[in-house]
Amino acid sequence: MTETESIAYDVVVLGAGPVGENVADRTRAAGLSTAVVESELVGGECSYWACMPSKALLRPVIAQADARRLPGLAQAVQGPLDAPAVLARRNYFTSNWQDDGQVAWLDGIGADLYRGQGRLAGPRTVTVTGPDGTLTTLTARHAVAVATGTRAQLPPLPGLAEVKPWTSREATSAQETPGRLIVVGGGVVATEMATAWQALGSRVTLLVRGKGLLNRMEPFAGELVADALKEAGVDVRTGTSVRSVTRENGTVVAVTDAGDRIEADEILFATGRVPHTDDIGLDTVGLEPGSWLSVDDTLLVDGTDWLYAVGDVNHRALLTHQGKYQARIAGAVIAARASDTAVPDAPWSAYAATADHDAVPQVVFTDPEAAAVGLSLAEAEQAGHRVRAVDVEFSSVAGAGLYAEGYKGRARMVVDLDSETLRGVTFVGPGVGELIHSATVAVVGEVPISRLWHAVPSYPTLSEVWLRLLEAYRG
């Protein structure tokens, strides 16, 4: 192994996914020299194996489902999706798994890219083992930011490796539609991929260990999504665990805890994520390899004054947009501390990732969509807030009837009875993903109900659900 001389930067970023890119963007904008280290593709999980390819797969599915609910259009779209065309468009949105464009963007902001495995080697020091075995040492004058994200977690089933199961990566990058697909899990990846591959021609069996789907959302969200999946032809089995998996003559055979034998061409495990920190040298700075990195609201790793953990790796909110938000905060913090500027980290300041606690938005791109921000009713009650949930059906909104025949959906707002502001909002129904930012503004801004009454929704749109919610609350 050849070792080069040590190179000094103001900031070193481990990981060039969207979170690491945003940290680098903010530190470079502040005039700090920045190195970015990446072992795979610049752009990370979101660009190539998660957000972008999954939504490219789902968009035609949702568009067709919407069209089938409209008289005058429904008969024209009764045929199957053109799966090769959908997959080709997905390939386009991943740039065919080439990162030239993202590398050019990094170069454009003036960050230096080092390809290879980056590892901490003591405080403010990172070594990079390049593809050719060359070892480069980078030192950071001010900060190292870990943005290495997560990877799929597989259950400890004997012989699973030999089965070659799908994880989220294979599910979003497959080049052919499997005739039969088993999906194990009940969360976002499981429900979205069941939605996509069923519509693309697979016969999907969804095995859910718990009682329902999307258990981090309001219960009705999972119920409505489960009903729609069943209607689309997915075999949804709740309260079901996989006891064993084998591949026999190319066919996957899964046996459940009830003794049922299910055969398929592929099996996807969407059963959680683990931090990508097992081989980044955490032990050299007194931290446990493979652990989540605990941080304060400035994203500084507990017990350090130079190490930041941003995005999924800190386990605060495993969502790309939330990680990018953290990156913007961390970049501002690093720049301020580098210039000896005070960092007031009070809630909602420019230097505190407060939204991680109180206002995390998420959209699940199933049919129907499920979108939520803030606390669910159960979470608000568990946190000790005095709250009231207000529910309305979207059938009470004229815009829903215009959007689709037989529109099914529900909305809930969780009202803090002491402040009369919103603790959380959930929408479920076709097209509701575009509504959630209005709810996010209301939750983050702590807008009083009395003022929301004057935010008049345009008629006839889905947004009129806000008026129905406020009317239901007022009585």
Side-chain angles (χ1 to χ4, degrees), residues 315 321 354 400 471:
H315 207 232
H321 50 269
T354 311
E471 289 172 337

Side-chain angles (χ1 to χ4, degrees), residues 182-441:
I182 299 169
V183 180
V184 183
V188 177
V189 172
T191 53
E192 288 189 348
M193 290 299 94
T195 299
W197 288 109
Q198 177 73 28
L200 289 169
S202 292
R203 295 203 309 275
V204 176
T205 302
L206 181 60
L207 305 180
V208 186
R209 184 173 58 184
K211 295 180 180 179
L213 308 181
L214 303 176
N215 61 12
R216 295 187 178 181
M217 287 186 159
E218 300 284 8
F220 66 81
E223 292 165 5
L224 288 169
V225 170
D227 288 346
L229 285 171
K230 293 173 185 176
E231 186 177 339
V234 176
D235 181 1
V236 180
R237 306 187 191 186
T238 57
T240 302
S241 295
V242 177
R243 187 173 68 197
S244 67
V245 181
T246 56
R247 193 179 283 272
E248 303 172 6
N249 298 319
T251 297
V252 173
V253 179
V255 179
T256 71
D257 52 357
D260 295 329
R261 176 186 169 99
I262 306 169
E263 295 186 356
D265 299 286
E266 301 292 350
I267 184 168
L268 161 63
F269 281 91
T271 49
R273 310 287 295 180
V274 292
H276 212 297
T277 61
D278 54 316
D279 190 26
I280 62 167
L282 291 183
D283 54 310
T284 69
V285 293
L287 298 171
E288 182 181 351
S291 66
W292 301 101
L293 297 178
S294 180
V295 298
D296 63 17
D297 278 358
T298 70
L299 290 312
L300 188 67
V301 174
D302 294 346
T304 77
D305 63 0
W306 59 274
L307 184 62
Y308 294 77
V310 193
D312 286 7
V313 76
N314 62 37
H315 207 232
R316 287 163 69 99
L318 277 65
L319 296 160
T320 295
H321 50 269
Q322 210 68 21
K324 291 165 71 174
Y325 159 74
Q326 293 174 11
R328 295 190 292 271
I329 299 293
V333 169
I334 292 168
R337 288 175 173 157
S339 62
D340 292 324
T341 301
V343 178
D345 57 356
W348 305 116
S349 78
Y351 305 111
T354 311
D356 289 350
H357 308 296
D358 301 311
V360 175
Q362 181 174 20
V363 179
V364 184
F365 293 86
T366 46
D367 175 39
E369 291 177 346
V373 64
L375 304 179
S376 67
L377 174 61
E379 289 170 337
E381 290 176 338
Q382 289 167 6
H385 301 299
R386 198 170 67 89
V387 293
R388 173 187 163 196
V390 180
D391 292 359
V392 299
E393 299 295 323
F394 268 94
S395 57
S396 65
V397 178
L402 289 168
Y403 190 97
E405 291 286 294
Y407 188 108
K408 295 179 182 178
R410 186 181 303 174
R412 167 174 288 180
M413 65 180 188
V414 178
V415 182
D416 187 304
L417 295 174
D418 294 317
S419 64
E420 285 213 317
T421 60
L422 303 186
R423 288 286 178 181
V425 180
T426 299
F427 300 125
V428 182
V432 299
E434 296 300 335
L435 289 180
I436 201 61
H437 192 61
S438 60
T440 303
V441 172

Side-chain angles (χ1 to χ4, degrees), residues 45-297:
E45 202 79 14
C46 176
S47 298
Y48 305 105
W49 301 287
C51 317
M52 294 303 291
S54 66
K55 303 317 169 277
L57 290 174
L58 286 159
R59 178 59 196 141
V61 176
I62 303 305
Q64 184 185 53
D66 283 345
R68 285 177 171 175
R69 299 184 183 105
L70 289 173
L73 181 58
Q75 293 305 313
V77 293
Q78 285 305 312
L81 288 169
D82 183 343
V86 173
L87 297 179
R89 183 172 184 266
R90 182 276 318 274
N91 293 350
Y92 169 79
F93 275 99
T94 63
S95 301
N96 291 294
W97 290 274
Q98 300 294 317
D99 63 2
D100 299 24
Q102 305 237 28
V103 170
W105 180 86
L106 267 185
D107 184 61
I109 67 169
D112 290 344
L113 173 64
Y114 291 83
R115 290 193 182 272
Q117 177 62 50
R119 297 179 180 87
L120 293 166
R124 294 184 173 84
T125 304
V126 172
T127 60
V128 184
T129 304
D132 61 356
T134 299
L135 186 68
T136 303
T137 300
L138 308 175
T139 59
R141 299 182 187 93
H142 300 294
V144 174
V146 176
T148 49
T150 58
R151 64 174 183 273
Q153 181 179 41
L154 290 172
L157 291 173
L160 185 59
E162 288 70 32
V163 174
K164 296 182 179 179
W166 279 11
T167 67
S168 54
R169 284 198 167 195
E170 289 76 20
T172 56
S173 64
Q175 296 297 323
E176 295 181 355
T177 301
R180 301 162 298 173
L181 174 65
I182 299 169
V183 180
V184 183
V188 177
V189 172
T191 53
E192 288 189 348
M193 290 299 94
T195 299
W197 288 109
Q198 177 73 28
L200 289 169
S202 292
R203 295 203 309 275
V204 176
T205 302
L206 181 60
L207 305 180
V208 186
R209 184 173 58 184
K211 295 180 180 179
L213 308 181
L214 303 176
N215 61 12
R216 295 187 178 181
M217 287 186 159
E218 300 284 8
F220 66 81
E223 292 165 5
L224 288 169
V225 170
D227 288 346
L229 285 171
K230 293 173 185 176
E231 186 177 339
V234 176
D235 181 1
V236 180
R237 306 187 191 186
T238 57
T240 302
S241 295
V242 177
R243 187 173 68 197
S244 67
V245 181
T246 56
R247 193 179 283 272
E248 303 172 6
N249 298 319
T251 297
V252 173
V253 179
V255 179
T256 71
D257 52 357
D260 295 329
R261 176 186 169 99
I262 306 169
E263 295 186 356
D265 299 286
E266 301 292 350
I267 184 168
L268 161 63
F269 281 91
T271 49
R273 310 287 295 180
V274 292
H276 212 297
T277 61
D278 54 316
D279 190 26
I280 62 167
L282 291 183
D283 54 310
T284 69
V285 293
L287 298 171
E288 182 181 351
S291 66
W292 301 101
L293 297 178
S294 180
V295 298
D296 63 17
D297 278 358

